[in-house]
Amino acid sequence: MQKLDKSARVQHRNAIMGALAARDRLHFREMFLELHPADQLDVFITLNKEERQRVNRYISAEEMANIFEGLSFQKQKEFLWELDETYTSEMFHNMFIDDVVSFLTKLNESDGDVDFILDNMELGKAKEIEAMLAYEKETAGAVMTKELVSINPSYTVGEVLRILRKIAPGAEMVYYLFVIDDEGKLTGVVSLRDLIIAEPSERIANIMSRRVISVRDNIDQEEVGKLIKKYDLLAVPVVSTEDHLLGIVTVDDIMDILEDETT
């Protein structure tokens, strides 16, 4: 994906719109998907209903997930009704859980029923989303994401690096790896930098930091934002009253939330 300057964006957009008008799926996909996600979004929000429906036939639900996450809620809701249930379910399946929860919370407030969406989603992810929707609004539990990397202190650095190669694409945050014991309790944190400079045979218990800044799941999201700012964190782990790791709140998500509140 590439980020284009203004002149190049105009030329590229014209070529994309030409391919879309000509129903040239192959060239549309080639030009559209090479754009940076922000530029894809800029193109998409200018389309009319007929053009949007054509785009949704040309790109996969997984590819559409990134675009949907960037839309305003009103645009998301408008576009949602243009999609069939199978496409919608697959799109939500490929979005981070906290982004799905944010959308469904707003949809529930405006339309009162999100069950029809959850009923068509993959069962495991639907259950996780339902659990987060049960949290009181504007708490850490309601805005956290569960797509994180947790490891055991007995693992070696080499083992963790092999694990990361497999699961990192599905995690929202890989700069911090959270260490949990056999009961799922948070005991430490390791940065990606710590892993890179450590010997592959070193145990995680020997390099992790035990001074972990964490928050309870019922704390107000504004307090989470203050904590992230105070300690200059990229993410803060969310724990239960028994210190079980439940999820994380990332700095980009909390900044978006606080910006919405300010607006």
Side-chain angles (χ1 to χ4, degrees), residues 86-106:
T86 301
Y87 193 95
T88 300
S89 299
E90 188 176 348
M91 181 182 72
F92 281 128
H93 179 72
N94 283 284
M95 290 170 57
F96 288 119
I97 288 178
D98 57 328
D99 292 319
V100 179
V101 170
S102 175
F103 170 71
L104 294 184
T105 298
K106 294 173 184 175

Side-chain angles (χ1 to χ4, degrees), residues 68 76-83 88 92 103 107 117:
F68 191 85
Q76 286 179 330
K77 188 167 71 166
E78 177 185 350
F79 182 52
L80 179 69
W81 310 130
E82 299 172 7
L83 304 175
T88 300
F92 281 128
F103 170 71
L107 186 66
I117 294 176

Side-chain angles (χ1 to χ4, degrees), residues 168-194:
E172 187 164 348
M173 166 64 67
V174 296
Y175 301 111
Y176 299 148
L177 289 78
F178 299 96
V179 186
I180 57 174
D181 62 19
D182 293 336
E183 296 179 351
K185 292 184 178 181
L186 181 65
T187 60
V189 62
V190 177
S191 71
L192 192 57
R193 179 181 180 276
D194 294 332

Side-chain angles (χ1 to χ4, degrees), residues 11-257:
Q11 293 180 6
H12 203 80
R13 182 187 183 282
N14 290 340
I16 289 172
M17 295 304 295
L20 187 62
R23 291 176 167 76
D24 188 341
R25 179 181 183 275
L26 182 62
H27 284 100
F28 172 83
R29 281 184 54 80
E30 180 182 341
M31 291 185 290
F32 185 74
L33 295 177
E34 75 177 11
L35 288 176
H36 187 279
D39 290 324
Q40 291 179 6
L41 182 62
D42 286 344
V43 171
F44 188 78
I45 60 177
T46 66
L47 304 179
N48 59 39
K49 181 178 180 179
E50 180 184 351
E51 291 167 337
R52 288 195 301 269
Q53 290 177 329
R54 196 176 305 159
V55 169
N56 123 45
R57 293 195 299 270
Y58 288 176
I59 68 176
S60 69
E62 181 179 358
E63 292 161 345
M64 180 60 73
N66 286 329
I67 297 172
F68 191 85
E69 287 174 348
L71 295 171
S72 68
F73 171 65
Q74 290 303 322
K75 290 292 185 182
Q76 286 179 330
K77 188 167 71 166
E78 177 185 350
F79 182 52
L80 179 69
W81 310 130
E82 299 172 7
L83 304 175
D84 65 53
E85 290 184 357
T86 301
Y87 193 95
T88 300
S89 299
E90 188 176 348
M91 181 182 72
F92 281 128
H93 179 72
N94 283 284
M95 290 170 57
F96 288 119
I97 288 178
D98 57 328
D99 292 319
V100 179
V101 170
S102 175
F103 170 71
L104 294 184
T105 298
K106 294 173 184 175
L107 186 66
N108 190 45
E109 291 172 352
S110 63
D111 291 344
D113 181 21
V114 299
D115 290 344
F116 73 99
I117 294 176
L118 293 172
D119 289 345
N120 289 291
M121 291 184 66
E122 187 270 328
L123 183 60
K125 194 159 189 173
K127 285 183 177 293
E128 289 186 333
I129 291 170
E130 286 178 332
M132 289 180 62
L133 288 172
Y135 280 105
E136 186 176 346
K137 184 183 176 184
E138 299 183 355
T139 61
V143 300
M144 68 183 177
T145 181
K146 291 179 175 289
E147 285 98 349
L148 54 87
V149 180
S150 60
I151 54 177
N152 191 279
S154 65
Y155 291 172
T156 65
V157 168
E159 288 173 333
V160 172
L161 289 173
R162 286 194 293 273
I163 291 171
L164 268 181
R165 293 187 188 100
K166 294 180 180 179
I167 67 175
E172 187 164 348
M173 166 64 67
V174 296
Y175 301 111
Y176 299 148
L177 289 78
F178 299 96
V179 186
I180 57 174
D181 62 19
D182 293 336
E183 296 179 351
K185 292 184 178 181
L186 181 65
T187 60
V189 62
V190 177
S191 71
L192 192 57
R193 179 181 180 276
D194 294 332
L195 285 178
I196 293 172
I197 64 176
E199 291 295 327
S201 60
E202 190 70 78
R203 296 287 176 185
I204 294 299
N206 297 330
I207 65 170
M208 71 182 190
S209 171
R210 300 180 186 275
R211 298 190 302 272
V212 188
I213 305 298
S214 63
V215 296
R216 299 294 186 200
D217 54 350
N218 60 357
I219 191 174
D220 187 272
Q221 63 188 23
E222 286 194 30
E223 294 304 313
V224 180
K226 292 177 182 177
L227 200 63
I228 285 177
K229 183 177 181 180
K230 178 179 179 180
Y231 292 100
D232 195 24
L233 301 171
L234 295 176
V236 61
V238 181
V239 297
S240 68
T241 52
E242 295 82 21
D243 288 326
H244 291 107
L245 179 62
L246 302 174
I248 59 172
V249 179
T250 61
V251 62
D252 56 338
D253 284 341
I254 201 67
M255 291 302 106
D256 288 342
I257 291 166

